[in-house]
Amino acid sequence: MDLFNQSQEPKPRTFEKHLLKDGEVWYMPNFIPSDKAKDYFKTLLNNVNWRQEEIKLYGKTFPVPRKTAWYGYDGFNYKYSGILCNPEPWTKELLDIKRVIEFFLKEERFNSVLLNLYRDGNDKVSWHSDNEKGLGINPTIASVSLGVTRRFDLKRKDDPDQKLRLELSPGSLVVMKGALQHHWLHQIPMQKKINQPRINLTFRTIKE
Ligand SMILES: O=C(O)CCC(=O)C(=O)O
């Protein structure tokens, strides 16, 4: 495996491990070398089948404040916020990234990926946890960032003063592990001054 075929001076790739109360967040800023991260960003921006989904809240319909897509092995459907996703087949780029994540995480195998496109700082994802039934108990979720740096916030459900804030730089990898999704919420807040796009890939394992 070429681990993204680094053309630049290779940087050591290790996780910063945030061991929280009931859950872990691992962060690797230079998971994908910057040239390669720019290439992936362009290819995914232009070639992914981005969808504008809608959600219903209090009887009204609203556009989701970002574009999304769902890719993976056939049959691994995903439902969140009332939106049912049938996977598009893996692209070469998504499979390459998935294989390198699995190399670093050793025991994890992912069968699908949710993609988010934040067109600018007005796009966001509100406080939530990835606790849908289909992900099973204590899911490991691996999240790759491409494009502009955005803030990622976590807070504990029963004690919002317990927080973690990370700046997700392009080419970085975040891994959420353990009981985190039961006890913590996360968000990408609106950042109105940002006028460039970001793509996020969250690799997941849907249980059959
Ligand atoms: O964009 C991100 O980094 C987070 C996305 C997210 O929270 C989700 O898709 O559930």
Side-chain angles (χ1 to χ4, degrees):
M1 180 189 296
D2 73 359
L3 293 178
F4 298 127
N5 186 18
Q6 294 219 12
S7 59
Q8 306 130 320
E9 188 65 20
K11 292 187 190 139
R13 286 188 279 178
T14 50
F15 283 108
E16 265 169 47
K17 292 191 178 174
H18 300 270
L19 309 180
L20 305 175
K21 188 172 172 217
D22 301 314
E24 296 181 25
V25 179
W26 296 2
Y27 182 57
M28 188 188 281
N30 47 3
F31 168 64
I32 305 178
S34 68
D35 287 359
K36 196 80 188 167
K38 282 182 194 150
D39 289 349
Y40 281 139
F41 177 77
K42 271 191 217 144
T43 309
L44 295 171
L45 185 66
N46 294 324
N47 298 337
V48 162
N49 184 14
W50 295 108
R51 298 167 64 95
Q52 179 58 69
E53 301 284 4
E54 295 184 328
I55 36 167
K56 273 202 180 139
L57 277 180
Y58 312 112
K60 283 190 176 170
T61 305
F62 299 92
V64 169
R66 61 195 178 280
K67 289 201 166 187
T68 56
W70 179 248
Y71 281 67
Y73 295 114
D74 197 24
F76 291 100
N77 299 335
Y78 185 53
K79 196 171 180 189
Y80 70 98
S81 304
I83 300 166
L84 178 65
C85 309
N86 296 308
E88 307 263 355
W90 289 108
T91 66
K92 182 188 174 308
E93 294 75 25
L94 293 173
L95 266 187
D96 283 350
I97 297 172
K98 172 175 119 67
R99 288 194 185 116
V100 182
I101 297 172
E102 289 171 350
F103 173 85
F104 277 103
L105 294 185
K106 299 193 174 63
E107 271 143 40
E108 301 293 342
R109 292 294 172 269
F110 300 98
N111 54 28
S112 42
V113 59
L114 176 67
L115 295 91
N116 291 298
L117 168 60
Y118 303 85
R119 291 156 289 193
D120 58 29
N122 291 304
D123 278 355
K124 60 172 186 168
V125 62
S126 305
W127 288 113
H128 69 286
S129 44
D130 297 336
N131 57 0
E132 294 80 18
K133 216 171 152 206
L135 296 171
I137 303 164
N138 297 352
T140 295
I141 293 174
S143 169
V144 172
S145 293
L146 300 166
V148 75
T149 298
R150 290 286 298 259
R151 205 174 96 206
F152 180 59
D153 295 327
L154 291 113
K155 69 176 179 190
R156 224 188 122 87
K157 290 181 188 176
D158 63 0
D159 178 7
D161 289 340
Q162 287 191 50
K163 295 177 196 164
L164 178 69
R165 176 175 288 186
L166 297 173
E167 292 291 332
L168 302 184
S169 56
S172 66
L173 170 65
V174 167
V175 183
M176 295 186 273
K177 287 172 76 71
L180 192 87
Q181 304 300 337
H182 299 283
H183 300 284
W184 292 75
L185 298 166
H186 57 271
Q187 70 163 357
I188 297 287
M190 203 183 265
Q191 288 180 280
K192 283 195 174 278
K193 288 189 180 148
I194 291 181
N195 54 19
Q196 286 163 295
R198 167 177 181 264
I199 290 174
N200 164 255
L201 318 171
T202 55
F203 290 84
R204 295 154 190 251
T205 309
I206 304 296
K207 309 286 176 194
E208 282 167 281

